Amino acid sequence: MKTIIIAFTVIASCTFFGCSTSTVEPAIKNEINISRSSITLGALQLSTDTFKISSNISWEIISGASWLEVSKQAGKGDTTLSVLAIGPNRYKADRSAKLFIRSKKDSISKVITIVQEGSYEPTLLAGDGSLGFLDGIGTSASFNNLKGIAVDIEGNAFVADMNNQRIRSIEWPLGKTSTLAGNGILGNIDGTVTSATLYNPWDLAVDENGNIYFTSSSNTIRKIAKDGSVSTFSLGGNSFDEFNGVTGIVYSLGYLYVADFGRNEIRKISMDGQVTTIAGSGKSGFDDGISTKATFNYPNDLAIGPNGEIYVADEGNNALRKITHDGVVTTVAGDGSQGFRDGNVKQAKFEYVTSVAVSNKNLIFVADGDKIRKIDADGNVRTIGINGERFIESINGETAISSIACWGDRLYVALSSGSVYVLNK
């Protein structure tokens, strides 16, 4: 009975006086969150990147790396910070440091690993940096306005020596330069090594049998066979479909692919000489899309990716484009405007895209004026360091890069001034 009375009293209290309720607010959890757990910077001085801190408490950053600078050392709330490499990394090996973001009162902490890439080390393979014509070993050789470069399966390089009207070979690793074709006379005469004449050779490709194909200003593709004979391989299609300024050329799985600079098209050529257009409408523009609905603006150079995709140095658009197996054209990096900015492919800018190469590690290299830019698998564009600098210190100071090519993870670089380097990392 007592229990019932007590219960009734409580109920009555709730009925006549109202029930007062109070909500206990849950304790706010102190947190520090970071947008990235690792950041990779380029090897160059002032290479930079950003990350974001989200926090409801005060935090501070601790770092003991003398080469690294953070834009803000303490704060509270949501903050975007930048990290900056104060100095270049002149060594081949990467270097790293850790940023500790911690609460000023609690034991909460987060860690970001910052890596600064190592530099590439240049080795002069051939050429003395002066304009001339000499065969020889290493710097005893000379060239006159180098254009394209290609590398065979053994690492030997082949270059288009435009103003000398010759195709030259450079033996790896000795650096012995020899003349493969051309006698120095401007012309389009087929024949033997010494009787054939060339017309401003531009770029080259090598097939698995050692045959060399090259483009020239005469709008022809010509072939140098293993026996040294030079012949005309293709003039393009019919009279309405001829080449109009063929520049870059690559070989892959029994086909040649050429950049038809003047037609703003990418062409495919079978070994029996059949020519088809695989991308480009023929009009100048900057449109992605399927096959001939896409547009280019003076495509200059080509490279084959590890899965057979074709990369296009779209010079007039200051961009790198890609053609997939099914003919879809997409933009890899560059927004069509001229500039210089590293970062994600969506923000990166290029100044003067002239050549492209892809390594066996699926790293994409782009020749950009006097610089070489690298695009990694995560879509980050960085200017590579060459002994800590952004360009090659050539013998005579001329750093304009004509063409690049990959052999494994080595990068071959032809300078217009007349020297060929190999970059290792």
Side-chain angles (χ1 to χ4, degrees), residues 96-173:
S96 64
K98 292 187 182 298
L99 293 183
F100 296 91
I101 300 106
R102 68 183 189 186
S103 166
K104 291 185 175 182
K105 295 181 179 180
D106 302 322
S107 58
I108 302 171
S109 65
K110 298 288 183 178
V111 180
I112 301 180
T113 301
I114 311 294
V115 175
Q116 187 179 23
E117 292 182 327
S119 282
Y120 284 76
E121 186 176 79
T123 300
L124 179 61
L125 185 62
D128 64 356
S130 63
L131 302 181
F133 170 68
L134 282 175
D135 287 338
I137 296 176
T139 56
S140 65
S142 58
F143 307 90
N144 193 347
N145 193 12
L146 287 177
K147 288 298 181 182
I149 186 169
V151 185
D152 67 13
I153 58 175
E154 296 179 346
N156 302 307
F158 304 90
V159 292
D161 192 357
M162 177 182 272
N163 288 0
N164 280 322
Q165 309 302 335
R166 291 175 168 92
I167 302 297
R168 319 279 292 278
S169 68
I170 308 171
E171 183 182 332
W172 168 265

Side-chain angles (χ1 to χ4, degrees), residues 53-81:
I53 296 177
S54 298
S55 174
N56 59 355
I57 56 176
S58 298
W59 48 262
E60 61 183 356
I61 293 180
I62 306 298
S63 171
S66 60
W67 55 270
L68 186 63
E69 183 176 278
V70 186
S71 59
K72 195 173 183 180
Q73 298 297 322
K76 183 179 180 180
D78 294 350
T79 309
T80 298
L81 297 94

Side-chain angles (χ1 to χ4, degrees), residues 368-379:
D368 186 18
D370 64 354
K371 303 171 292 299
I372 298 175
R373 319 286 291 280
K374 179 178 71 174
I375 306 174
D376 64 23
D378 295 325

Side-chain angles (χ1 to χ4, degrees), residues 25-241:
E25 295 288 341
I28 297 175
K29 184 180 180 181
N30 291 336
E31 288 186 322
I32 297 176
N33 294 305
I34 53 177
S35 60
R36 305 169 68 177
S37 60
S38 64
I39 294 174
T40 300
L41 301 176
L44 300 180
Q45 184 178 12
L46 304 183
S47 178
T48 186
D49 208 334
T50 61
F51 68 97
K52 185 177 180 180
I53 296 177
S54 298
S55 174
N56 59 355
I57 56 176
S58 298
W59 48 262
E60 61 183 356
I61 293 180
I62 306 298
S63 171
S66 60
W67 55 270
L68 186 63
E69 183 176 278
V70 186
S71 59
K72 195 173 183 180
Q73 298 297 322
K76 183 179 180 180
D78 294 350
T79 309
T80 298
L81 297 94
S82 61
V83 288
L84 177 75
I86 300 172
N89 184 0
R90 301 185 185 279
Y91 301 97
K92 292 173 67 173
D94 297 348
R95 61 181 175 182
S96 64
K98 292 187 182 298
L99 293 183
F100 296 91
I101 300 106
R102 68 183 189 186
S103 166
K104 291 185 175 182
K105 295 181 179 180
D106 302 322
S107 58
I108 302 171
S109 65
K110 298 288 183 178
V111 180
I112 301 180
T113 301
I114 311 294
V115 175
Q116 187 179 23
E117 292 182 327
S119 282
Y120 284 76
E121 186 176 79
T123 300
L124 179 61
L125 185 62
D128 64 356
S130 63
L131 302 181
F133 170 68
L134 282 175
D135 287 338
I137 296 176
T139 56
S140 65
S142 58
F143 307 90
N144 193 347
N145 193 12
L146 287 177
K147 288 298 181 182
I149 186 169
V151 185
D152 67 13
I153 58 175
E154 296 179 346
N156 302 307
F158 304 90
V159 292
D161 192 357
M162 177 182 272
N163 288 0
N164 280 322
Q165 309 302 335
R166 291 175 168 92
I167 302 297
R168 319 279 292 278
S169 68
I170 308 171
E171 183 182 332
W172 168 265
L174 181 62
K176 181 181 179 181
T177 300
S178 306
T179 298
L180 282 185
N183 57 16
I185 300 173
L186 182 71
N188 260 323
I189 300 174
D190 293 337
T192 64
V193 173
T194 55
S195 66
T197 58
L198 311 187
Y199 200 102
N200 297 332
W202 188 274
D203 196 20
L204 320 88
V206 187
D207 68 17
E208 64 271 7
N209 298 314
N211 299 304
I212 298 171
Y213 304 85
F214 65 95
T215 58
S216 63
S217 297
S218 59
N219 288 318
T220 58
I221 297 173
R222 303 175 72 186
K223 175 182 176 181
I224 306 173
K226 288 285 287 183
D227 62 6
S229 60
V230 179
S231 60
T232 299
F233 182 77
S234 178
L235 297 172
N238 54 41
S239 59
F240 300 101
D241 202 26

